[in-house]
């Protein structure tokens, strides 16, 4: 279902094929497939992050076109779409992780609590301490489990003393649902854990800094179903406290964990809405093609 | 829970913001350390190159004195004889002395005369000898001949000797300097391009010393190294990459090659001394033995890069060749080898550059000799350019410092040319998959 | 026949053999090459190889052994009054013989014994040459004939030729092993002889080094002492100074280049560092001895310090600069091998770049960096030219970097250059030092290569 080798010609071929069959099955359409402006309401009442007209370029190539999207408090926003649609690129704009890629350039406005994060005066370090990120492949540091979690608070100076730090480590591991599994081997290297445990360790590591927003880039794609289920439960719990934006390949996962869903297609944000609506009654034909499995 | 979390959250960003000044300063410091490190390395490079060029650029010019020589058979002590043997043994130094006396007729004392004769190099008489031997008709004629000046005079003209120092603190007397000034005024002394430096072998006299013998020795040594190292290394790489079964033996060979690449070069010299010279009784100081030692030394480098080159050839090509019924040897010869060759050549050139700059092992096998004659075969006694540099660096005369730096410049020019060649080969022939 | 002429004859015979094999293969199938199992050119190669290889092997072996065998035969035939003399005198006599034979001259007058021995030597030489020609040409002809007869329609000459090729490949790849073996054996053999004369413990733990042995038995004062501790101390002192320079500079430049520098800076600085690595050590040595040492000395006297003109500091400093590119390029490799995801993980927590580098990237790369440093140390210990030119010969046992010290490699060079007798304790001592040097660097290299390899396997999964 992945389209890693999507070249312009065969994507066109597939699209036209899709057009024909979709037209046959659903009758007349109000929105054409060529319509690339966002359908649905991308704003929320009490936004944490607001994005307006965000473009991302890699060198001369525009990877994201004029995306508008809000992320509200205590909600999980899922971003779905075929590979190469720009959802991960967009996610990485939200804590300026794209800064590490030399050719990458971001324009437009992204505000966190009303503050433009691409403002020249903004330092990425405090920004990232507020907007944490969990990656596709678990990437624990080659340190002990304890050190993995304690490292963030330590560099930021969040703990007054050793006891404080111990407490932060313990609560973070508890919140990540890992405490009972690792409490007896905190000094063992984090790389020795199973894939699912490693990913939860990475989540604990992110929580330990007490961010306000957590970005998750396909956090379960490298995990087995049981580990995935645990992480999904965890995401649901974390929502009580944090805003979460999650990129996922799995529509079922998006349906299970998110309140709102955004569908990306070739660099455009095609449709945003309540998760339930998107999955049961999509407006844009491209969204429908994707969620019904005709595409991607 | 939520309240506590919120209060903690507020604390986090405040704490982080409060710490930013300190952390940004640490960041800046760290970057400065990095820049300093690079600057230190670059500065040293510039300092060393600048220093060597500053000291050595004058090696390519040389002071020459014009002498009005009258090729008098009487002075030469020839009488009427013109046969080869008498021509070879004639007293050419007398011609030089006569010409100098004629230039400075007021010098009469023995001691002063001896000092006067020291203005020109002892090579002057050889130069005259060669002229007469090539053309015996010169005898009886007069000619103005430019002959090399003595190295001290050379140093004086190049400004390495301070004319204002008291006489006792320099090696030239006031009288000698005044003669030189007379010659300068008459434009009978000048610095010219120093062809001797490229056409002569070593000499005890700095003004006559050249690098041709060493260059020739280096060339012969590298020739031996190249003819042996390239085929052997390529064959080894092919065997290890394409044929060798993955077993303990192959593993040992592999570890062994990596280790050999890091063995100090002087140990290869010990091997050469014990094996080739003491056991096989090969001639000492010969490019043959030098080449053998350098072959063993550069083999690991070339093998490692050749294997890397073979690894970059995609397996699809091998399978395609085997698929149409080629044997493994045919597949390698017709398909794999041509594709891997640029990488192998690059590695070989780099290995050769390494061999060209190597000194220590060659000291062990006696290539550290005083070589005047240009070696013409791989069993002639010879030296190589780096060893020549080593020998000259040990000479006390001021003029040899300049010669040493000049020889270093020639050596570095060769090395840079070789490395540029390696880069060019890679750029020109490299193929990306 | 001259050896080179003989070799040419053998090569020409191989060419003829090729043609004969080629023609015959076509003749046996009356021109229909398709009926042959192997292409005609393989038949040609097969016959050529058969004609050349056995003859060439005999030729090479003969060339290598000829000299030793003839010399021994001449020695055995010498009258007792000469062969019973001291080893040195016998060697001198042999070289006189060779000189007489090769150049027709000797330094001293020609004694009848010498003339006789030289005649015998010359006779043996010409006889040997004649036999060599006969043997090799006969072998070549025999090989040619046998192989030529076996060229048939179904002869699998391609497989045979390919077997020979693979045999050649295996022979070549065993040269690497033979080299190591040769090093170990030659160094070990001479060392054992050395330890027969000087006890091992005196060598390893003695604190006085003055290798001037008496030339004559009645000479006084120079019995020679071979305590190598001052050499070890000197080597370690200079290597330590070198590493103090090389590690911080090399490591920081690697970190800056791989983590901070823009592509442009990187593509400019890296080749310059490689130039630093490509400069011959003799150039560094010249620079250390003629520029850096006087500078340090001048600076020292300016602030009232007494610095030796061949101070350990000058040699160590320049050696350190030589090792910088070594450490920086190896560290650069391992730092680049640290996965980007580690850096991302740290950045996402809000770490600054230097925090990421110092506390995540560097610890992850540490094993590889240590491997690189160990290789650098091994290089510093084995480095010869810089210390030969810039460090002294005086075996001082000191830790003061401003004094002159000597090193293992300097002593090896000094003991083995110039006039020497091969069997004296003095020359043998050089091999004992060589053995020590080889073993030390070998251990360092094995550990370093193991660490780097292990690191690659672990970090790159």
């Amino acid at each position: 279902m992945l389209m890693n080798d999507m070249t312009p010609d065969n994507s066109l071929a597939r699209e036209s094929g899709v057009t024909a069959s979709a037209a046959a099955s659903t009758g007349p359409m109000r929105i054409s497939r060529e319509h690339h402006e966002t359908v649905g309401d991308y704003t929320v009442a009490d936004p944490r992050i607001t994005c307006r007209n965000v473009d991302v370029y890699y060198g001369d190539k525009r990877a994201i076109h004029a995306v508008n999207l809000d992320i509200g408090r205590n909600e999980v926003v899922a971003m779905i779409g075929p590979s190469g649609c720009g959802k991960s690129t967009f996610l990485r704009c939200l804590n300026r992780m794209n800064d590490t890629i030399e050719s990458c350039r971001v324009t437009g406005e992204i505000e966190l609590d009303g503050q433009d994060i691409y403002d020249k005066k903004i330092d990425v370090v405090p920004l990232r301490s507020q907007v944490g990120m969990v990656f596709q492949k678990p990437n624990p540091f080659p340190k002990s489990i304890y050190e993995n979690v304690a490292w963030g608070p330590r560099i930021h100076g969040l703990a007054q003393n050793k006891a404080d730090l111990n407490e932060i480590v313990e609560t973070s591991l508890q919140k990540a649902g890992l405490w009972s599994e690792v409490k007896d081997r905190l000094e063992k290297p984090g790389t020795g854990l199973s894939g699912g445990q490693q990913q939860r360790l990475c989540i604990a590591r992110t929580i330990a800094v007490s961010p306000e927003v957590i970005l998750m880039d396909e956090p379960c794609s490298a995990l087995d179903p049981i580990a995935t289920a645990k992480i999904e439960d965890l995401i649901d719990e974390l929502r009580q406290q944090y805003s979460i934006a999650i990129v996922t390949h799995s529509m079922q996962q998006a349906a299970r964990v998110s309140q709102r869903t955004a569908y990306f297609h070739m660099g455009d944000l095609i449709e945003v809405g309540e998760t339930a609506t998107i999955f049961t009654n999509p407006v844009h034909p491209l969204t429908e093609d994707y969620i019904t499995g005709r595409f991607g | 829970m939520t309240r506590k979390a919120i209060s903690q959250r507020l604390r986090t960003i405040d704490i982080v913001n409060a710490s930013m000044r300190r952390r940004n300063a640490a960041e800046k410091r760290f970057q400065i350390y990095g820049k300093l490190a690079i600057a230190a390395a670059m500065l040293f490079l510039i300092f060393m190159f600048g220093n060597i060029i500053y000291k050595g650029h004058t090696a390519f010019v040389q002071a020459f004195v014009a002498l009005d020589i009258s090729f008098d058979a009487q002075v030469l002590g020839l009488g009427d004889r013109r046969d080869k043997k008498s021509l070879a043994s004639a007293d050419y130094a007398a011609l030089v002395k006569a010409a100098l006396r004629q230039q400075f007729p007021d010098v009469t004392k023995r001691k002063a005369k001896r000092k006067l004769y020291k203005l020109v190099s002892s090579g002057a008489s050889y130069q005259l000898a060669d002229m007469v031997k090539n053309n015996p008709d010169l005898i009886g004629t007069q000619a103005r001949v430019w002959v090399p000046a003595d190295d001290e005079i050379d140093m004086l003209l190049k400004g390495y000797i301070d004319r204002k120092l008291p006489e006792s603190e320099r090696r030239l007397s006031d009288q000698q300097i005044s003669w030189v000034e007379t010659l300068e005024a008459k434009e009978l002394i000048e610095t010219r391009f120093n062809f001797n430096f490229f056409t002569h072998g070593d000499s005890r006299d700095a003004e006559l010393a050249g690098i041709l013998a060493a260059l020739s020795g280096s060339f012969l040594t590298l020739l031996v190294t190249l003819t042996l190292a390239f085929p052997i290394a390529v064959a080894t790489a092919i065997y290890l990459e394409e044929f060798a079964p993955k077993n303990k033996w192959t593993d040992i060979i592999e570890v062994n090659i990596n280790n050999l690449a890091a063995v100090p070069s002087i140990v290869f010299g010990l091997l050469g001394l014990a094996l080739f010279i003491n056991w096989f009784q090969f001639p000492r100081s010969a490019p043959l033995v030098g080449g053998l030692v350098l072959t063993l030394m550069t083999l690991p480098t070339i093998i490692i890069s050749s294997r890397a080159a073979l690894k970059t050839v995609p397996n699809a090509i091998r399978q395609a060749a085997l698929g149409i019924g080629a044997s493994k040897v045919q597949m390698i010869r017709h398909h794999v080898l041509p594709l891997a060759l640029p990488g192998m050549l690059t590695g070989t050139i780099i290995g050769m550059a390494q061999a060209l700059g190597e000194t220590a092992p060659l000291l062990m096998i006696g290539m550290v000799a005083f070589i005047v004659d240009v070696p013409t075969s791989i069993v002639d006694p010879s030296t190589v350019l780096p060893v020549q540099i080593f020998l000259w660096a040990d000479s006390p005369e001021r003029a040899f410092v300049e010669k040493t730096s000049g020889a270093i410049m020639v050596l570095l020019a060769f090395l840079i040319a070789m490395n540029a060649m390696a880069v060019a080969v890679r750029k020109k022939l490299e193929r990306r998959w | 026949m001259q050896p080179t002429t003989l070799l040419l004859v053998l090569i020409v015979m191989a060419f003829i053999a090729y043609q004969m094999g080629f023609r015959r293969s076509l003749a046996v199938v009356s021109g229909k090459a398709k009926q042959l199992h192997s292409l005609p050119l393989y038949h040609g190669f097969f016959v050529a190889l058969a004609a050349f290889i056995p003859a060439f092997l005999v030729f090479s072996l003969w060339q290598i052994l000829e000299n030793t065998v003839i010399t021994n035969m001449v020695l055995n035939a010498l009258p007792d009054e000469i062969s019973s003399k001291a080893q040195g005198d016998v060697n001198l006599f042999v070289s006189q013989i060779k000189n007489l034979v090769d150049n027709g001259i000797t330094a001293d007058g020609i004694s009848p014994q010498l003339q006789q021995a030289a005649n015998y030597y010359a006779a043996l030489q010409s006889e040997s040459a004649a036999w060599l020609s006969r043997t090799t040409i006969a072998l070549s002809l025999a090989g040619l004939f046998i192989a030529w007869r076996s060229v048939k329609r179904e002869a699998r000459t391609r497989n045979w030729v390919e077997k020979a090729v693979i045999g050649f490949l295996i022979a070549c790849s065993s040269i690497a092993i033979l080299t190591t073996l040769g090093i170990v054996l030659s160094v070990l053999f001479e060392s054992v002889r050395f330890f027969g004369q000087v006890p091992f413990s005196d060598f390893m733990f003695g604190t006085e080094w003055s290798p001037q042995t008496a030339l004559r038995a009645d000479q006084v004062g120079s019995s020679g002492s071979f305590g190598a501790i001052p050499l070890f101390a000197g080597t370690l002192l200079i290597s330590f100074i070198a590493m103090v320079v090389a590690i911080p500079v090399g490591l920081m430049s690697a970190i800056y280049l791989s983590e901070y520098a823009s592509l442009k800076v990187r593509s400019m600085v890296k080749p310059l560092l490689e130039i630093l690595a490509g400069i011959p050590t003799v150039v560094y040595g010249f620079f250390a001895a003629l520029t850096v040492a006087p500078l340090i000395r001048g600076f020292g006297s300016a602030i009232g310090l007494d610095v030796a003109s061949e101070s350990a500091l000058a040699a160590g400093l320049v050696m350190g600069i030589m090792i910088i590119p070594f450490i920086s390029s190896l560290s650069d490799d391992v730092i680049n091998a640290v996965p980007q995801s580690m850096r991302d993980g740290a950045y996402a927590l809000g770490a600054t770049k230097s925090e990421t580098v110092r506390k995540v990237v560097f610890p992850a790369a540490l094993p590889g960096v240590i491997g690189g440093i160990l290789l650098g140390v091994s290089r510093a210990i084995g480095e010869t030219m810089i210390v030969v030119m810039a460090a002294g010969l005086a075996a001082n046992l000191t830790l003061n970097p401003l004094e002159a010290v000597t090193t293992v490699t300097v002593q090896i060079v000094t003991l083995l250059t110039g006039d020497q007798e091969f069997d004296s304790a003095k020359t043998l001592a050089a091999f004992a030092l060589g053995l020590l040097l080889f073993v030390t660097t070998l251990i360092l290299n094995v550990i370093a290569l193991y660490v780097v390899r292990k690191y690659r396997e672990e970090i790159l999964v």
Side-chain angles (χ1 to χ4, degrees), chain A residues 132-176:
Chain A
M133 187 161 188
V134 177
F135 297 86
Q136 182 169 6
K137 209 179 138 204
N139 56 350
F141 301 133
K143 299 169 183 282
S144 71
I145 295 172
Y146 181 91
E147 278 302 316
N148 258 286
V149 183
W151 193 68
R154 193 175 280 152
I155 56 168
H156 292 308
L158 298 186
Q160 308 294 325
N161 48 42
K162 183 77 182 152
D164 234 9
L165 194 60
N166 286 344
E167 196 195 315
I168 293 177
V169 171
E170 184 177 338
T171 45
S172 306
L173 283 169
Q174 265 166 352
K175 280 190 209 160

Side-chain angles (χ1 to χ4, degrees), chain B residues 53 80 101 103 115 144 210 239 253 256 270 279 361 432:
Chain B
I53 292 173
D80 296 330
R101 278 198 306 270
Q103 185 66 247
K115 275 195 176 154
R144 172 164 286 189
Y239 178 72
I253 296 185
N256 180 52
L270 289 176
W279 211 53
R432 291 202 177 277

Side-chain angles (χ1 to χ4, degrees), chain B residues 23 27 55 256 278 327, chain C residues 162 180 260 291 354-355 422:
Chain B
R23 287 166 69 187
E27 175 74 30
K55 277 184 184 157
N256 180 52
N278 287 327
S327 73
Chain C
E162 291 185 350
T180 310
Y260 287 98
T291 306
S354 66
E355 284 161 353
F422 198 69

Side-chain angles (χ1 to χ4, degrees), chain A:
Chain A
M1 98 170 221
L2 297 183
M3 297 184 19
N4 288 327
D5 56 348
M6 200 166 82
T7 59
D9 332 58
N10 70 16
S11 78
L12 268 180
R14 284 190 215 190
E15 268 190 77
S16 57
V18 165
T19 314
S21 62
S25 63
T26 53
M29 284 281 179
R30 269 167 300 162
I31 300 175
S32 92
R33 287 195 164 74
E34 315 320 316
H35 182 91
H36 284 176
E37 265 143 53
T38 308
V39 177
D41 184 10
Y42 50 76
T43 59
V44 293
D46 181 16
R48 183 114 243 181
I49 292 183
T50 55
C51 307
R52 294 294 177 265
N53 268 320
V54 176
D55 285 342
V56 181
Y57 298 84
Y58 288 117
D60 292 334
K61 190 178 160 279
R62 190 153 83 159
I64 300 276
H65 310 223
V67 168
N68 299 303
L69 185 65
D70 285 0
I71 295 168
R73 284 176 203 280
N74 303 342
E75 72 163 347
V76 177
V77 177
M79 301 175 188
I80 59 171
S83 314
C85 67
K87 53 193 191 304
S88 289
T89 301
F90 176 70
L91 190 76
R92 289 168 67 94
C93 293
L94 302 181
N95 68 345
R96 292 182 56 176
M97 280 304 284
N98 283 334
D99 287 14
T100 55
I101 301 165
E102 234 171 275
S103 64
C104 184
R105 195 158 52 82
V106 180
T107 62
E109 271 171 38
I110 303 177
E111 289 182 353
L112 171 68
D113 294 332
Q115 173 77 48
D116 182 1
I117 65 168
Y118 277 90
D119 191 296
K120 278 209 172 64
K121 283 178 292 185
I122 287 289
D123 194 332
V124 292
V125 168
L127 168 70
R128 288 180 189 149
S129 72
Q130 285 171 284
V131 185
M133 187 161 188
V134 177
F135 297 86
Q136 182 169 6
K137 209 179 138 204
N139 56 350
F141 301 133
K143 299 169 183 282
S144 71
I145 295 172
Y146 181 91
E147 278 302 316
N148 258 286
V149 183
W151 193 68
R154 193 175 280 152
I155 56 168
H156 292 308
L158 298 186
Q160 308 294 325
N161 48 42
K162 183 77 182 152
D164 234 9
L165 194 60
N166 286 344
E167 196 195 315
I168 293 177
V169 171
E170 184 177 338
T171 45
S172 306
L173 283 169
Q174 265 166 352
K175 280 190 209 160
L178 197 59
W179 177 249
S180 56
E181 291 163 56
V182 300
K183 64 171 186 274
D184 301 324
R185 45 172 176 153
L186 289 174
E187 301 311 317
K188 294 273 159 54
T191 42
L193 297 172
S194 74
Q197 289 173 322
Q198 285 190 9
Q199 194 61 297
R200 276 181 284 150
L201 179 63
C202 291
I203 294 175
R205 183 174 77 183
T206 308
I207 298 170
V209 188
S210 328
E212 297 170 31
V213 181
I214 299 178
L215 311 175
M216 296 188 173
D217 189 359
E218 302 187 25
C220 302
S221 66
L223 305 181
D224 62 68
I226 296 167
T228 303
K230 280 192 180 160
I231 303 264
E232 285 179 5
D233 289 346
L234 176 58
I235 292 171
D236 207 44
E237 273 173 42
L238 293 175
R239 177 165 70 91
Q240 307 304 322
Q241 212 178 326
Y242 307 98
S243 305
I244 296 174
I246 178 170
V247 163
T248 173
H249 246 97
S250 150
M251 283 176 280
Q252 290 83 347
Q253 184 170 65
R256 284 193 297 266
V257 300
S258 71
Q259 284 70 54
R260 286 198 308 139
T261 296
Y263 173 66
F264 283 77
H265 182 87
M266 295 186 73
D268 291 308
L269 175 54
I270 298 294
E271 186 167 354
V272 194
E274 296 293 323
T275 300
T277 325
I278 292 272
F279 280 98
T280 53
N281 197 8
V283 179
H284 199 291
L286 285 173
T287 320
E288 186 179 2
D289 290 348
Y290 183 72
I291 62 167
T292 52
R294 268 181 282 194
F295 187 164

